[in-house]
Amino acid sequence: AEEQSFREYERALREKVEAADVGVASDGEDIDEKALKIMQNLYDKRSEEPTEWDEDFPEWDTDNLEDGINEIKSAIEEKAKDAAGKKVNPEDMKEWVMYRSIATRMAAEAGQ
């Protein structure tokens, strides 16, 4: 019952995401690259100045966005350095095997 409830929740969430234009990373696209694009777009929008003075115009503090953008850039650079040095980390392979077995089991159950 709990598993069925989770599957219904997951299906509803997937439909909601597909219906909304939230910029979901497509297959093969790096999630960090996608997050960086989204954060840079938000930073650009928050950094825009109004064309004329408006006392109701919100002033945004973008320090957190700047920090997040810098962290993601560093992570992307670090990932590129790691990829150049070695192909697969053992932890990554274990995690991949775990997710692959879960996905295979779910696909098999859905096909029955």
Side-chain angles (χ1 to χ4, degrees):
E2 188 175 304
E3 183 179 343
Q4 187 64 27
S5 174
F6 174 75
R7 288 181 188 272
E8 290 172 10
Y9 163 77
E10 187 179 42
R11 188 177 310 114
L13 184 62
R14 192 173 293 137
E15 289 171 3
K16 187 185 282 187
V17 167
E18 288 172 0
D21 181 26
V22 293
V24 177
S26 60
D27 289 342
E29 186 175 15
D30 184 28
I31 193 71
D32 287 335
E33 293 283 346
K34 188 67 176 180
L36 181 61
K37 288 179 194 174
I38 292 170
M39 290 180 80
Q40 286 176 329
N41 287 341
L42 181 58
Y43 178 80
D44 292 342
K45 289 178 184 175
R46 295 272 171 105
S47 298
E48 291 176 359
E49 293 290 328
T51 53
E52 58 185 53
W53 187 81
D54 181 6
E55 66 183 43
D56 295 329
F57 184 78
E59 291 187 27
W60 302 101
D61 182 15
T62 56
D63 290 346
N64 288 342
L65 281 174
E66 292 171 7
D67 292 343
I69 288 170
N70 290 334
E71 285 178 25
I72 291 176
K73 284 181 180 178
S74 297
I76 291 171
E77 291 171 3
E78 192 69 32
K79 212 185 304 183
K81 287 180 188 176
D82 286 347
K86 51 186 170 180
K87 295 290 180 193
V88 178
N89 292 331
E91 302 85 30
D92 295 340
M93 184 57 88
K94 288 177 188 175
E95 187 176 0
W96 181 86
V97 168
M98 179 187 70
Y99 285 125
R100 183 69 190 145
S101 66
I102 292 170
T104 302
R105 187 179 70 215
M106 289 177 72
E109 290 174 359
Q112 291 178 350

